[in-house]
Amino acid sequence: MDELRFDGRVALVTGAGGGLGRQHALLLAARGAAVVVNDLGSPTMGGQDHDPGPAELVVEEIRAAGGTAIANSNSVAARDGAEAMVAAALAEFGGLDILINNAGIIRNRTFLNIGEYEFEPILDVHVKGTFFVTRPAYEHMKAAGYGRIVNTSSGSGLFGSFGQSAYAAAKAAIYGFTRTLALEGAKYQIG
């Protein structure tokens, strides 16, 4: 079987400064895609801080391997940040073919111990972030007649997980959003 290639394609990967997002970015670049590596750069899983370093390190790694990438440290949880990262892909590479919504934060608390001030940021990053980034990307993909969108969900969203009511709720929302997006995007060649 031939290797799946992405030559000439442009990808945006959120939460790509480490973990699964980093692996997505590295693989896409190794297979020919130009990649926008987005990461807020918070050194904690709570997302309280901002550091462009993690995204820049992944970009350096991609370039050292002969790939093409730029770093972006906008927050997915802010509409203007999401729009800016899509605009960066269009300005730098002239298009956007692939979007991987992977950014996320977690605050493990049992239901009776989590407050609204901890619940809302989880929804902001996971749910609103997925929506905010997808909207301008989808509009571009619709006009171009092609696009691929991958949203990171979790077994927590499908089956529940002790101490993760906020995270599970957010990941379940992403699952439903993804299923609906696939149905609506089919007629535009967005899958």
Side-chain angles (χ1 to χ4, degrees):
M1 179 180 207
D2 292 333
E3 179 180 80
L4 182 61
R5 299 286 307 170
F6 301 103
D7 300 294
R9 299 290 186 191
V10 178
L12 165 59
V13 183
T14 69
L20 184 60
R22 176 179 170 271
Q23 294 304 314
H24 287 312
L26 294 174
L27 180 64
L28 286 163
R31 295 200 175 175
V35 181
V36 177
V37 177
N38 165 264
D39 201 286
L40 185 61
S42 178
T44 65
M45 287 300 287
Q48 298 93 336
D49 303 310
H50 180 257
D51 175 10
E56 292 170 355
L57 288 173
V58 175
V59 167
E60 288 174 19
E61 192 173 352
I62 288 170
R63 289 178 178 167
T68 303
I70 61 168
N72 178 283
S73 61
N74 285 296
S75 173
V76 299
R79 184 185 312 271
D80 59 344
E83 291 171 352
M85 65 185 76
V86 171
L90 299 175
E92 183 73 22
F93 301 122
L96 180 59
D97 306 292
I98 302 162
L99 169 62
I100 299 182
N101 286 303
N102 180 72
I105 62 173
I106 192 165
R107 293 188 179 133
N108 290 326
R109 302 273 192 284
T110 58
F111 177 67
L112 292 178
N113 291 319
I114 192 165
E116 183 178 344
Y117 66 94
E118 293 172 308
F119 195 87
E120 286 183 353
I122 302 283
L123 296 179
D124 288 346
V125 171
H126 292 274
V127 182
K128 287 183 177 178
T130 297
F131 175 81
F132 287 159
V133 180
T134 300
R135 185 60 178 257
Y138 189 95
E139 289 172 350
H140 170 76
M141 292 172 178
K142 179 183 174 191
Y146 175 87
R148 297 294 178 260
I149 300 171
V150 175
N151 298 321
T152 302
S153 189
S154 168
S156 293
L158 299 175
F159 309 112
S161 182
F162 187 88
Q164 294 188 336
S165 59
Y167 182 78
K171 290 304 189 180
I174 290 171
Y175 174 76
F177 177 79
T178 302
R179 300 287 298 185
T180 301
L181 203 62
L183 294 171
E184 293 180 5
K187 68 181 178 180
Y188 306 122
Q189 303 302 311
I190 301 172

